[in-house]
Amino acid sequence: MIGVVGAGAFGTALAIALARDGRSVTLWARDIGDMAQTRRSPRLPDVTLPDGINITKNMVDIAASETVLLAVPAQSLRDVLTANATHLDAKQLVACCKGIDLETLTGPVATIARTLPNAMPAILTGPSFAADIARGLPTALTLACADDTVGQNLQQQLSTGTLRIYRTTDTIGAELGGALKNVIAIACGVAIGASLGDSARAALMTRGFAEMQRLAQILGAEPQTLVGLSGLGDLALTCTSPLSRNYRYGLALGAGTAIDPAMTVEGAATSWAVTRLGQDRGIDLPVCAVVAALTRGEISVETALQNLLSRPLKEE
């Protein structure tokens, strides 16, 4: 049995994909509403939830699962782990979120390890939209776990006919790739929203990717991880599609239009955290710094553009 904590779009989509492939899945949410009766999710209204999904609001039901997917926002992960330590301790815990904790400046794997040291932490990340997974469209993800034996077991558990899982032991690279690409997606959305053009977006993707690699390697990631699914693959998807919440958020910022306050945008908080990390390590991260200032309302789009264009000329 596999447990999924968090019945948002992504957690529900993973539960659907696994149940369709014959797994027994328990899906937990604080408020399940009438999902158990209607077999419909308000986040994925066009998809019927398979019978193999047991929907619950009781965390004790999750305790029966050896493997638990944590599909909660990165900034909520530590609180969820702390509040439910009795039920989650000593399990295989797979983070399904992308971000850096604002208080501890750690990614999801490190957050799990610090909060529940008896658990086996891992992360599932890569280029994916919940709607695609729920509809059974082909998707490839990266499963990162420091213990490769556990990683192989999780790879087998979580792979389905349409969900292809690759694995790595580089948890630092995988979690940073997933977190940092959201920051660059906001920047790309701003460029398109402000009518700066596709060339500007391409430049931001490229220079932003260089920042991702620079910081990740300083923090101990393996270089090849960032050019895989959890880095470059995810970056390409989220910087070009309006299905990306971070990209849509950037579009609204660039265009000066209203932003949906209910929309979870991991990249904003991540930009604040990564800017602090860069300052602490003495690393130049101009794109991330501009996104942090924009999302805090400290500068305008025009000032952000001028800040980037007026930087000293240099070799690539």
Side-chain angles (χ1 to χ4, degrees):
M1 181 184 295
I2 298 172
V4 179
V5 173
F10 195 64
T12 303
L14 289 173
I16 290 169
L18 293 167
R20 278 188 184 145
D21 210 59
R23 314 299 201 280
S24 178
V25 181
T26 299
L27 177 63
W28 176 90
R30 286 190 177 89
D31 180 12
I32 62 175
D34 60 357
M35 286 174 60
Q37 290 73 40
T38 64
R39 310 304 294 179
R40 297 277 179 172
S41 164
R43 301 297 184 91
L44 298 165
D46 298 329
V47 183
T48 300
L49 275 60
D51 293 337
I53 300 176
N54 172 39
I55 303 167
T56 183
K57 61 180 180 180
N58 191 341
M59 188 60 74
V60 73
D61 295 329
I62 291 291
S65 301
E66 178 186 7
T67 298
V68 179
L69 308 185
L70 301 168
V72 297
Q75 300 307 323
S76 304
L77 179 60
R78 187 159 40 90
D79 289 341
V80 170
L81 293 170
T82 302
N84 300 288
T86 301
H87 303 299
L88 299 176
D89 196 27
K91 297 190 178 299
Q92 296 176 161
L93 300 181
V94 183
C96 300
C97 52
K98 302 171 182 179
I100 298 174
D101 187 293
L102 271 171
E103 183 174 326
T104 63
L105 299 184
T106 56
V109 175
T111 297
I112 293 171
R114 285 189 178 189
T115 310
L116 296 179
N118 293 324
M120 174 56 68
I123 187 167
L124 186 65
T125 184
S128 56
F129 289 138
D132 291 347
I133 294 174
R135 291 168 57 198
L137 299 179
T139 304
L141 298 174
T142 294
L143 185 285
C145 182
D147 187 318
D148 194 45
T149 300
V150 175
Q152 291 180 48
N153 177 46
L154 289 170
Q155 182 181 36
Q156 292 297 322
Q157 283 189 56
L158 302 178
S159 293
T160 74
T162 57
L163 192 60
R164 183 171 177 81
I165 308 297
Y166 292 82
R167 76 175 189 280
T168 179
T169 56
D170 182 13
T171 57
I172 295 174
E175 64 182 1
L176 285 174
L180 298 176
K181 60 87 188 178
N182 282 334
V183 180
I184 310 307
I186 292 175
C188 289
V190 170
I192 299 302
S195 299
L196 300 181
D198 289 328
S199 297
R201 171 166 55 184
L204 285 166
M205 287 178 65
T206 306
R207 299 312 305 159
F209 184 56
E211 292 186 20
M212 290 170 58
Q213 292 178 303
R214 194 180 309 140
L215 180 62
Q217 289 182 44
I218 287 291
L219 295 178
E222 297 173 10
Q224 66 268 27
T225 303
L226 271 292
V227 297
L229 291 166
S230 60
L232 182 59
D234 214 354
L235 181 73
L237 182 69
T238 54
C239 290
T240 58
S241 174
L243 292 178
S244 163
R245 293 189 300 268
N246 292 280
Y247 180 69
R248 291 203 309 274
Y249 176 80
L251 283 174
L253 274 180
T257 56
I259 296 170
D260 181 1
M263 183 169 62
T264 300
V265 182
E266 296 278 27
T270 299
S271 72
W272 309 337
V274 77
T275 300
R276 287 171 54 196
L277 276 173
Q279 292 169 346
D280 291 346
R281 299 291 182 124
I283 306 169
D284 189 25
L285 303 170
V287 176
C288 292
V290 160
V291 171
L294 271 173
T295 55
R296 287 196 186 103
E298 296 172 351
I299 61 174
S300 66
V301 173
E302 291 75 17
T303 301
L305 178 63
Q306 184 58 36
N307 286 352
L308 292 175
L309 291 179
S310 63
R311 287 174 52 78
L313 298 176
K314 55 183 287 187
E315 289 185 343
E316 187 170 29

